[in-house]
Amino acid sequence: MKFAHLAMVSALAIAAAAGAQAKTLVYCSEGSPEGFDAATTTAGTTMDASSDAVFNRLVEFAPGTTNVEPGLAESWDVSEDGLEYTFHLRPGIKFHTTDYFEPTREMNADDVIFSFLRQGDPESPWADYIPGTTYEYYNAMEMPALVKEIRKVDDLTVTFVLNRAEAPFLANMAMPFASIYSKEYMDQLEADGNMAALNSQPVGTGPYQFVAYQPDAVIRYKANPDYYKGAQKIDDLVFAITPDPAVRRQRLEAGECHVMPYPSPADIEAMKANDDLQVMEQPGLNVAYLAYNTTVAPFDKPEVREALNMAMNKQAIVDAVFQGTGVVAKNPIPPTMWSYNDAVEDNAYDPEAAKKMLTDAGVENLEMEVWAMPVQRPYMPNARRVAELIQSDFAKVGVNVSIVSYEWGEYLKRSTDPTRKGAVIMGWTGDNGDPDNFLAVLLGCAATGDGGANRAQWCNEDFDALLQKAKVTTDQAERTKLYEEAQVIFKDQNPWATLAHSQVFMPMSKDVTGYVMNPLGRHSFEGVDIAE
């Protein structure tokens, strides 16, 4: 690829360089992407914003909702037994033409089939095209076991044949891992011996196409002239990577960027009072948690995990770190999600009882690690500070905590290691509005193991049986009962310390129009404009 050599310049200079006539929107993103292959990444935020700019899926979530609507498939049919989903593709969909790829045909069924099969076939050359590649979502959602066959009916018709009914299947298909890739482009990369470029030079069908990436500094996109919904009003979309929320705020107030995510809780009221800004907000479909490695002693004992949870003053943690923008969590799903079991009682804060429980369990002078993510997340303003407060609380019951952190991509990778010691601070923003996306993806047996999203490595047969039954049940009232029962088991076993659910804020220039907050935490710039 012929990358433009981008200097370390301010976002304002980047916008000016786009020319007086072109419209440029600068998004001060919170971090660098893990990569640009939406099927292999789970970090969300910057990656999800990139994914929604570059890629489309067969079905999409309607703006601001978790309702599924047509995407690259203009319609679909579902068999009476729920085992076959037939998608009718839109004709005339074009992949991006870039410096490194020029398509010779329009999107067809071959692209759809290849986009999914490369994730589920361990013999595919794409199974480990970059050493350590994992298709975490595809596997955690049990897609290899679920999908029996993907059948090409004709160039514009594809049928997914399932081994069992799957209630959240359509919602799952609107997630980033289900993005549709160009088989022609991937065949070209394979022939050139340059497969790793898929993760750095993306090609999709979305509203914007990739131009260049300067690591840890800038990502540049331009409007896709062939977008099937029509060209965007913004000509150039720039991600100015700005990890520090204080600096993001400074850049926004100085006019160097138009939109920023995840302000510091302490800054929100001042930003709301700024007449040059607008601050959107909504309850986050999220949870922050501390996951114990339940396969490593003494965290393999439920009573030890319960004792540690009782040693933790969660209300004080939320007050200190979230500063009015979060509430204490007791369940692994947020209270805004259907099937939330409000009857569940949280672990009481009781250090003396916690100390006795540890002694009764034969645990004395425990040394453990607490991992703290190095970046701000929608569900976690400051993981380091949370880890320090947990460290202080645990010291009061005789547990000595060492705080560990890594670069974000390394943190995500290492935290899935089944041999990891201690506990890791993590969190989740729902991908599709379905409880399965929290409970099965984060706590199901299929999500354990190296590369899995179940960072507690917790596999409880009774809990998992309820999830499996809920997957094949189409009646939402019945599914609700199953998930409520699963939450009771979760709380009894305590594989996590549930920490908080946060309110999500999106400050932006008052000149930005058309932006819609997504309850799933993704940031889409489709349809966004800047007032003249």
Side-chain angles (χ1 to χ4, degrees):
M1 173 184 178
K2 299 175 182 176
F3 278 107
H5 293 286
L6 301 176
M8 293 291 287
V9 295
S10 73
L12 182 62
I14 296 169
Q21 301 303 314
K23 280 190 177 182
T24 299
L25 184 140
V26 180
Y27 170 59
C28 277
S29 64
E30 79 295 342
S32 299
E34 294 174 79
F36 294 92
D37 183 352
T40 64
T41 56
T42 61
T45 57
T46 296
M47 181 57 223
D48 282 349
S50 299
S51 172
D52 285 338
V54 175
F55 297 105
N56 292 120
R57 290 155 281 277
L58 294 176
V59 295
E60 305 280 358
F61 291 115
T65 75
T66 58
N67 301 322
V68 174
E69 65 178 14
L72 293 179
E74 57 187 1
S75 64
W76 56 86
D77 306 311
V78 185
S79 63
E80 288 189 10
D81 61 7
L83 296 180
E84 293 192 6
Y85 288 74
T86 298
F87 295 94
H88 305 283
L89 308 181
R90 296 181 187 275
I93 298 292
K94 297 180 179 179
F95 284 102
H96 300 152
T97 298
T98 70
D99 290 346
Y100 45 87
F101 176 65
E102 185 170 351
T104 65
R105 61 168 177 81
E106 296 172 347
M107 183 202 74
N108 64 31
D110 294 331
D111 302 303
V112 174
I113 293 170
F114 188 82
S115 295
F116 288 91
L117 290 187
R118 64 121 172 176
Q119 300 183 58
D121 180 6
E123 302 303 318
S124 167
W126 293 96
D128 194 34
Y129 75 97
I130 297 174
T133 295
T134 60
Y135 295 101
E136 185 173 321
Y137 271 116
Y138 196 86
N139 289 301
M141 294 160 64
E142 302 180 57
M143 291 289 282
L146 174 66
V147 178
K148 178 179 181 180
E149 177 188 5
I150 308 177
R151 183 189 307 141
K152 178 179 179 180
V153 179
D154 56 44
D155 276 352
L156 293 177
T157 311
V158 179
T159 296
F160 284 71
V161 182
L162 308 184
N163 284 309
R164 63 169 189 268
E166 179 85 352
F169 182 73
L170 274 177
N172 291 345
M173 294 291 279
M175 291 166 53
F177 86 93
S179 297
I180 303 304
Y181 286 72
S182 166
K183 182 178 185 300
E184 184 181 22
Y185 175 51
M186 295 175 76
D187 286 346
Q188 173 186 304
L189 293 178
E190 185 176 354
D192 292 344
N194 190 28
M195 295 168 69
L198 181 71
N199 200 37
S200 60
Q201 301 172 0
V203 170
T205 60
Y208 292 93
Q209 61 189 62
F210 180 80
V211 176
Y213 172 42
Q214 182 179 357
D216 302 322
V218 178
I219 313 171
R220 295 184 60 199
Y221 303 92
K222 66 179 181 180
N224 173 13
D226 298 318
Y227 188 47
Y228 78 93
K229 295 183 185 179
Q232 298 298 295
K233 296 175 182 178
I234 298 298
D235 301 287
D236 296 284
L237 177 63
V238 178
F239 286 22
I241 298 167
T242 315
D244 189 325
V247 178
R248 290 201 297 275
R249 176 189 174 186
Q250 291 169 6
R251 288 187 170 184
L252 180 65
E253 293 178 338
E256 294 184 9
C257 60
H258 300 95
V259 182
M260 65 162 281
Y262 319 129
S264 171
D267 292 339
I268 290 170
E269 290 307 314
M271 298 180 82
K272 286 182 176 180
N274 187 331
D275 291 338
D276 293 327
L277 304 179
Q278 53 182 318
V279 181
M280 296 183 179
E281 65 177 285
Q282 65 182 11
L285 197 72
N286 61 40
V287 64
Y289 60 88
L290 179 75
Y292 304 104
N293 188 341
T294 62
T295 64
V296 175
F299 310 104
D300 56 337
K301 296 181 178 181
E303 62 270 28
V304 171
R305 303 192 296 264
E306 182 180 2
L308 292 173
N309 286 358
M310 292 174 65
M312 195 182 306
N313 189 343
K314 294 198 297 186
Q315 187 62 61
I317 291 172
V318 170
D319 290 345
V321 177
F322 289 80
Q323 299 183 40
T325 66
V327 296
V328 170
K330 64 179 180 180
N331 288 322
I333 63 174
T336 52
M337 175 166 279
W338 62 271
S339 82
Y340 180 83
N341 191 346
D342 198 34
V344 167
E345 292 188 11
D346 201 7
N347 305 111
Y349 172 54
D350 192 337
E352 290 305 314
K355 188 182 299 185
K356 183 178 185 305
M357 287 179 68
L358 289 173
T359 300
D360 291 346
V363 176
E364 296 183 1
N365 301 317
L366 176 61
E367 304 268 344
M368 67 175 289
E369 294 179 350
V370 168
W371 290 26
M373 61 188 69
V375 295
Q376 188 179 9
R377 310 300 289 158
Y379 46 77
M380 178 53 64
N382 188 335
R384 179 78 190 193
R385 181 60 182 144
V386 169
E388 290 169 352
L389 292 169
I390 292 172
Q391 182 183 51
S392 176
D393 284 344
F394 282 8
K396 296 171 185 176
V397 298
V399 176
N400 184 41
V401 168
S402 299
I403 299 174
V404 173
S405 192
Y406 298 93
E407 179 273 330
W408 183 223
E410 192 69 15
Y411 185 96
L412 289 168
K413 180 180 178 181
R414 286 176 179 249
S415 63
T416 68
D417 183 350
T419 65
R420 187 201 78 242
K421 297 180 180 179
V424 57
I425 295 175
M426 280 296 297
W428 192 255
T429 297
D431 294 297
N432 60 18
D434 195 288
D436 179 81
N437 182 246
F438 282 78
L439 301 177
V441 171
L442 303 180
L443 292 160
C445 292
T448 59
D450 196 10
N454 186 339
R455 286 171 166 83
Q457 302 297 332
W458 181 64
C459 178
N460 180 283
E461 292 183 0
D462 294 334
F463 179 90
D464 211 61
L466 291 169
L467 303 189
Q468 296 304 321
K469 187 174 181 180
K471 280 178 180 286
V472 300
T473 303
T474 57
D475 180 75
Q476 185 165 313
E478 182 60 29
R479 292 185 76 205
T480 293
K481 293 178 183 177
L482 295 168
Y483 289 135
E484 287 176 343
E485 188 176 344
Q487 289 166 73
V488 172
I489 294 174
F490 167 88
K491 198 49 129 186
D492 178 68
Q493 293 294 303
N494 290 293
W496 297 350
T498 49
L499 297 175
H501 308 292
S502 74
Q503 187 83 352
V504 179
F505 298 85
M506 283 294 290
M508 61 193 72
S509 165
K510 67 178 181 180
D511 295 330
V512 173
T513 63
Y515 185 90
V516 178
M517 285 192 76
N518 189 315
L520 305 174
R522 287 153 61 174
H523 308 306
S524 172
F525 297 98
E526 184 173 353
V528 175
D529 197 3
I530 303 172
E532 296 288 358

